[in-house]
Structures are given as C-alpha cells and as structure tokens.
Amino acid sequence: MTRAGARPAAIITAIALLFGVLLVQCLARLPSPWWALLILLGALGLAWRCPRWRWLACVLFGVAWALWRGASAMDARLPRTLEGRDVTVVGSLVGLPLARTDASRFTLRVEHATLDGQPLDLHGRITVSWYDGAPPLQPCTRWHLLLRLKRPRGLLDPGAADSERSALERGIVATGYVRDDDDNRMLDAPSWCVDGVRTAIARAIETRVHDPHDAALLRAFAVGDTRGLGQDDWAVARANGVSHLIAISGFHVGVAAVFGVWLALLVYGAWPRLGLWLPRAQAQAAAALLAAGVYSALAGFGLPTVRTLLMIAVVALARCSRRGSSGAHSLALALIAIVLVDPLAVLAAGFWLSFVGVAFLILYLQSHGRGWRAFLRELSAGQMLMTVALLPLTLWFFGQASLVGALSNLIAVPLVSFVIVPCALFGMLLLALCPPLATPVLWLAAHIVHAQWWLLERMAGWPGAQWYLPMVHPLALLLAVLGALWMFLPRGVPLRWLGALLFLPLLLPPRSVPAEGAFQVWVLDVGQGLSVLLRTHGHALVYDTGARYPSGFDLGDAAVLPVIHALGVTRLDMLMISHGDNDHAGGAEAVVDAFPQARRLAGEPARMRVPMAQCVAGQAWQWDGVRFRVLSPAPGGGDRDNDSSCVLLVEGRGGRLLLSGDISSKVEPAVAAALDAGPPPVLVVPHHGSKSSSSAAFIAALRPPLALVSAGWRNRFGHPRPEVVARYTEAGVPLFNTAVEGALEVDFPADGPPRREPGWRLRQPRYWRE
C-alpha cells in the first residue's frame, strides 16, 4: 500500500475500531468471555480471507477487545461478599492527595490485600477517605492500612453524573475509608516519582505567589493541580466554556512542544557544529516530543494531553524518518493507539470532546489554507467552530452549554497558551536551574492569571453564560453532529447552511408535561437523604434538597439542579424544606441561588442558611387543578428536628401523594387524622424507613397503594429497617427504594390511578452499573 493509500486506511480503521468498542458500551450485561474469543477469531478469519471486508474485521476486533477489557474490569471489582468488611491493604498513593478539613482523600494502588490474615485477589485502584487524625500524605508513599470497602456505586438521576461509569473508566475497583487501627502506618518514605515532582512545583508556586487564589489557578495551569480550586471557580469555568483550559489541555502540550523546538534552535545556534552529528530537523522533532512528554507527565497524563502527545509522536517520527504526516492521519493513529491501550477511555467525556473537537478543527483548517492567516482564523473563527461543533456533545455529557464560550475562548485561549503557559514553563525551568530567578517570572504569570480570571468572573454573569436544555435524545445528538459536519464542510459545497436545520431536534426538543389536574413526582436518588421534584402542568415544587457535606459536595448542585434542567423545568415556584437536618436541607442554598424567585417554606426556618417562611398546618394553594395542603406542624406544635417536618398532601384528579419528611410515630396519628376522605395516598416513607416511624397503625390508616423510600446504599443506619419493611409487606404495600432502583418516578394522571415507572437504574441499564 502506498503512503497516500495508508492515510485513508488509517482513518477507516480508527472509525471501525471505535464503532466496535462503542457497541459494547451499549450493553446492559456482558456475555461470556468465550464470546470475545469467538468474535476475535471471526475477525481474524474475515481479515485474512476477505480483504475488502477488513473494515468489518476491525469492527469485530473492537467488539472483542472491548468485551474482554470490560469483563476484566468488572471482575476486578471488590467481591460483593467483602462489602462492609475490614480489609488490610498494602498499596502506594497514586496522583495528588486532597487534604480537607473533614478528611483527606486519595487513590491507592493495591499491591496486596488480606482478610483475617488470608490473602485476597484484589488488585487495581481504590479511592480512600481518611476522616479523623489523617497524617500528612505525600505522593508515591506506600502504606499499610485497614480499610472498610465497598464496590463502586453512585447515585443515578436524570441528567446527573454517572460515577459508576467514571469508576470503570478510571480503573477504580472499590471505595472505602480508613478504620482506626494501631497498625496503620507508612511503610516507605516518598520515592522519586512524577507526582512528587508535581507536588514540589506546586509548593514552589505557592510560596512565591502570595495570593492563594492566584497561586491555585497558576498551579492548575502549570502542573494540572486543581486541588486549590473551589466550586465557584469551576462554575465560572463552565459558564465561560473554559474548563478545558483550567487543567492542562492538549493545546498546552502543543505549546510545550514548540518550547522544545525553541530550545533546540538555541542549542544549534550556540553550537552549529552539532548539525554535523545530528540534523537539526530531526533534533527539533525529538526535542518537541521530549518537551511534550515531560509536560504531559506533569499534567498527570490526562486524556487530552495523551491524545496530543500521540499526535506529536506521529509527526515527530514522520519527521525523523523523513516522511510526511497529515493532521487527520496523525489524529487517526492517536485514536487507534488510545483505543488499543484502553478501550474504556471511550466512557470519558474528555475522549469525545478532545477527538471530535480536533477533527472539526482539522477539517476547517484544511479548507482554509495554512500560514499565519489560517492561524488567525483558528483563533477567531476556529473558536466559533469549536463552540458549535461541540455543542451537541457538551449538552449530552453535561446538560448545559455556554453561549458566551466562543468569546471567552477567543480571549482566554491566546492568553493562556501564548502567555501564561510559556511563563509557567519558563518558571518551572528556572526552578530547576536557578530558583531565585523563577520568582519574578511566576509573579508575572500570577498577575496575568488574576486579570484574566477577573474578566471571566464578569463574563460568567452575562445572559446565556449558563444555558440548559432537557435530556438529549441519542437521535438528536447524531443529527446535530451531522449538522455541524455539514455546516463546516469545505467552501464550495452547496447549501451548507442547511446543516443548521439538523440542530433543531437538539435545540427544540419535545417537552412532556402533565395535563390539567395531573401531576408527576420524582423521588431523587440523593443517597441517605431526601429530595422530591413535583411537576404540574405549569408549576414545579422541590421538597427537600439532599445533603451538603463538609468536603463541599453539594447534592443540591450535583443532583437536584441537574434533574430540574434535564426534565425541562425552567421555573421553580416553591422550595419546601421539611426540617433543618443536613440530609434534607443541605442543598437548599444551591437551589435558591439557581431559582431565587421561588417561594420558600420550611419546618425549621431558624436552622436554615437562607431566609425561609414557616410552614404551618392549614396552608393551602392550587396549581393547574392540583391542590396542595400542609398537614403538619401545627402552629406552635412539634418538637425540634424531625417532628417539625412539613408534611404536604398533594391531591390531583386521579390520585394523592403524601410527603412526610422525617416525622415519627408520635406525629403520625395527627397526620392520618388530618387526611380528608379520598383515594389512599402514595406515601413517601417517613424518615427513610427508620424504626421510629411507619407504625403499623399509620400504614393501616393510610392504606397506600405503594410506598417510596429514599435511602443510601448500605447506609450505616440500616434504613429502611427490616422490621419497617416487614410492616409494609404484611400490609400488602409495595415498597420501592432509591438505593436499589435509583430515582423513582410516579405519574398521577387526571383520568386514572397513579402509575409507577421503573426506577432510573432499571430504565438506563449498563453493564458497569451495580
């Protein structure tokens, strides 16, 4: 095959291989590993006997490879029989440990593990929290620890992040926390490693830049250390569409490669006779690859950096062998390399944003020439191209996009890539050669970072900075990507503007809302807590918001708001917080910030972090033919905490719903007595199924057609308690748990009885989900 023919062959191979790997990621269950072997043999036979069908052989090879790697990754997870057991683990720290006031968190690579002195077949990575008395943790150290472990399991809600998919992609086999044990100890002092170098550079920046926030941003730009950034910083980045610039991006690696070329030029300028031993072009290629490799290592080898590094490697090797290589060919070879090394990388959003974005940019630049004019187009029109081309994928993965992102990137990309990153690179070089000279360079970079961030914070408040759409249908995603491809085809292709029409299913999705007199309720999966979203034809109410933890993880922001946006709710009319406990009220502030106009009621306003009015029995209102009535607490009644919960009765034409908060059996008789005659209400189980609630008398008085419980998976309280589950079972009441099924949906049509839909975990089955 000629060189010209090899290039399209590489592109076809990359697409076919990727398609095969993707087919496996759509499976709800993985077949027997023998199927992978059979498919592999079929692929080899097809490639040998039918050369014209080699593209299909590549598809089959991708299927077989992804089946084997997926099955291996799932088999590597902690056995279910060991969940909740104390396991002794010896391992080494991977990455940069995160120290917070509440706990230290880190990733441990397991070397060997034992249970009661017996060895366990446990290998891979574990994410660990060390809550009380955690010593200072250094990268690359080896530890002997007693851990309480469980399999990776996350929350599953419409529009929210899938942490189980992320765990599979990152090779996480278990999660857990350190148990108190006198034998917990560090085995070896820190040895040399890349993460240790990253930490040393981060500390050097921190000591030379006095403003902590400027130092945190510069550490992120320099070595990909984002530990100093808070939720507000990431919100600003998302609003401006510059999250890819905060941690080291692929473009930064390209700048590092140029930096290597400049260094080679300086060396050859100082010692021209070197050209007699090694041609300058080959030396420049090798220097570019070396600089890019070192910088990628300092970035932690994130996916965008690896993709760029592989592309630079292809170009460098082509230059060293005196062969040409196009951008598309280099991208295809990089894609093949990543999929062959780690087919599970396709589960990461960064994989798609990286490769698709570069592919569109290559397509655009090939049709607009080369040189400095093409470079200026890349910085100007190229940013608009990236915003439009990546819009479908951004909405698919994150449920939001930034309409000011093109302008923000037009400012931020040149500043970061050609000023901040070179200053950071030069500063890091000086840290190694002459540390005192690094101080003014890092000081200058920090001041530029400060000015840029000040501008981005202002732009984050512009209209359209955070734009949300309902959940994206796969067909709408495919049509929008094809539309973007059509719009950015080379000049001369007729009717390119028609590609914009293919964006309409994405931008104007059909919206399903309850009819007049009907309503819909979602009991969200917020772990050990409660949050309920209720919708009528034209109104929406949130009852409780889940917890906010000392680490900063906020379920109001991580679960409640994504569900609201994913379901197409654009206005929240009421926020009701049953009482002040963190597992019910912690996320309220995030919801209030997003919907400040919503009316706010709470059972314990004095305990809330935002102003709220008192809910009192007798309060009532009506929306769209659906009546709402507060049954408890009575004016001046109720004890502090649980029994002060707002109890809300919702009555549609076809059924009723009772939201009971955390009331105990002391209040349940009064609540049952306050119910008017009518159909038995669907019940959100009080206090997550605690033994102090759901008395047999209460269940008998309500006679609910079904009961919904919100609880955390393997929670330490044992909710719902076995005796409570037995009470509902004996009464013939079906009980459904968010811990088992994910978010629960119940529809209350105007012309029929309540109808429960399968839980979100069951409606979105994937082989990596527990």
Side-chain angles (χ1 to χ4, degrees), residues 655-708:
R656 302 196 294 178
L657 170 72
L658 184 65
L659 301 172
S660 56
D662 273 0
I663 61 171
S664 70
S665 56
K666 292 190 299 183
V667 176
E668 288 175 351
V671 170
L675 287 172
D676 295 333
V682 171
L683 175 65
V684 176
V685 172
H687 201 186
H688 322 289
S690 165
K691 63 181 180 181
S692 63
S693 304
S694 296
S695 64
F698 184 63
I699 298 173
L702 265 62
R703 298 177 292 109
L706 58 95
L708 312 173

Side-chain angles (χ1 to χ4, degrees), residues 492-516:
V493 175
L495 303 176
R496 289 189 300 163
W497 61 270
L498 288 177
L501 298 179
L502 295 180
F503 276 79
L504 293 180
L506 177 76
L507 303 179
L508 300 173
R511 299 174 185 263
S512 175
V513 296
E516 189 78 13

Side-chain angles (χ1 to χ4, degrees), residues 559-753:
V560 181
L561 291 178
V563 171
I564 290 174
H565 298 312
L567 298 180
V569 176
T570 57
R571 174 184 172 85
L572 185 65
D573 298 278
M574 179 174 289
L575 172 63
M576 178 177 285
I577 304 299
S578 63
H579 63 300
D581 285 359
N582 179 58
D583 60 331
H584 294 253
E589 194 170 3
V591 177
V592 169
D593 289 344
F595 298 98
Q597 82 290 342
R599 182 186 175 192
R600 304 195 288 269
L601 294 175
E604 297 178 294
R607 296 180 64 195
M608 299 300 299
R609 299 175 62 180
V610 292
M612 303 194 81
Q614 176 72 54
C615 69
V616 180
Q619 292 171 328
W621 64 95
Q622 182 168 311
W623 291 339
D624 309 313
V626 178
R627 293 174 294 172
F628 297 78
R629 184 159 60 94
V630 177
L631 304 184
S632 184
D639 298 329
R640 186 178 180 273
D641 294 341
N642 293 349
D643 284 336
S644 295
S645 294
C646 301
V647 179
L648 182 65
L649 178 67
V650 185
E651 301 178 277
R653 294 175 186 171
R656 302 196 294 178
L657 170 72
L658 184 65
L659 301 172
S660 56
D662 273 0
I663 61 171
S664 70
S665 56
K666 292 190 299 183
V667 176
E668 288 175 351
V671 170
L675 287 172
D676 295 333
V682 171
L683 175 65
V684 176
V685 172
H687 201 186
H688 322 289
S690 165
K691 63 181 180 181
S692 63
S693 304
S694 296
S695 64
F698 184 63
I699 298 173
L702 265 62
R703 298 177 292 109
L706 58 95
L708 312 173
V709 60
S710 178
W713 178 254
R714 300 186 63 89
N715 65 85
R716 61 190 179 96
F717 306 102
H719 293 163
R721 300 290 297 181
E723 56 267 37
V724 172
V725 175
R727 289 176 205 157
Y728 284 98
T729 302
E730 292 170 1
V733 179
L735 187 67
F736 302 96
N737 190 349
T738 58
V740 177
E741 297 196 20
L744 303 171
E745 177 190 1
V746 181
D747 293 321
F748 294 77
D751 56 355

Side-chain angles (χ1 to χ4, degrees), residues 207-417:
T207 58
R208 287 165 172 80
V209 177
H210 299 300
D211 185 285
H213 187 252
D214 293 347
L217 287 169
L218 189 56
R219 283 160 47 193
F221 288 127
V223 292
D225 179 6
T226 60
R227 294 176 296 175
L229 303 181
Q231 295 295 327
D232 292 341
D233 296 313
W234 290 111
V236 170
R238 288 194 300 269
N240 286 277
V242 296
S243 297
H244 62 289
L245 294 177
I246 300 302
I248 298 175
S249 71
F251 200 86
H252 299 171
V253 177
V255 173
V258 174
F259 192 76
V261 172
W262 289 347
L263 288 178
L265 285 173
L266 288 175
V267 171
Y268 272 77
W271 294 284
R273 293 181 63 84
L274 285 176
L276 298 176
W277 300 91
L278 180 65
R280 189 177 66 179
Q282 280 74 15
Q284 288 175 335
L289 181 58
L290 178 62
V294 171
Y295 197 50
S296 297
L298 292 176
F301 285 114
L303 187 60
T305 63
V306 172
R307 181 261 303 161
T308 306
L309 179 62
L310 289 172
M311 292 182 66
I312 292 172
V314 171
V315 175
L317 292 175
R319 179 64 62 89
C320 290
S321 60
R322 294 180 172 86
R323 295 184 179 184
S325 179
S326 67
H329 184 242
S330 300
L331 184 66
L333 292 179
L335 175 60
I336 292 171
I338 288 180
V339 172
L340 289 179
V341 171
D342 182 15
L344 298 180
V346 302
L347 297 174
F351 175 91
W352 295 98
L353 296 176
S354 178
F355 278 99
V356 172
V358 173
F360 271 98
L361 199 56
I362 290 173
L363 176 67
Y364 177 78
L365 293 179
Q366 283 181 343
S367 62
H368 288 79
R370 298 172 182 255
W372 65 271
R373 292 184 178 179
F375 176 74
L376 292 178
R377 288 193 188 98
E378 181 181 352
L379 290 181
S380 54
Q383 298 307 320
M384 179 61 69
L385 176 147
M386 296 289 279
T387 299
V388 174
L390 296 181
L391 177 64
L393 288 172
T394 302
L395 291 172
W396 172 266
F397 283 109
F398 307 114
Q400 70 176 92
S402 173
L403 297 183
V404 303
L407 180 58
S408 299
N409 277 275
L410 183 60
I411 299 170
V413 168
L415 194 59
V416 170
S417 300

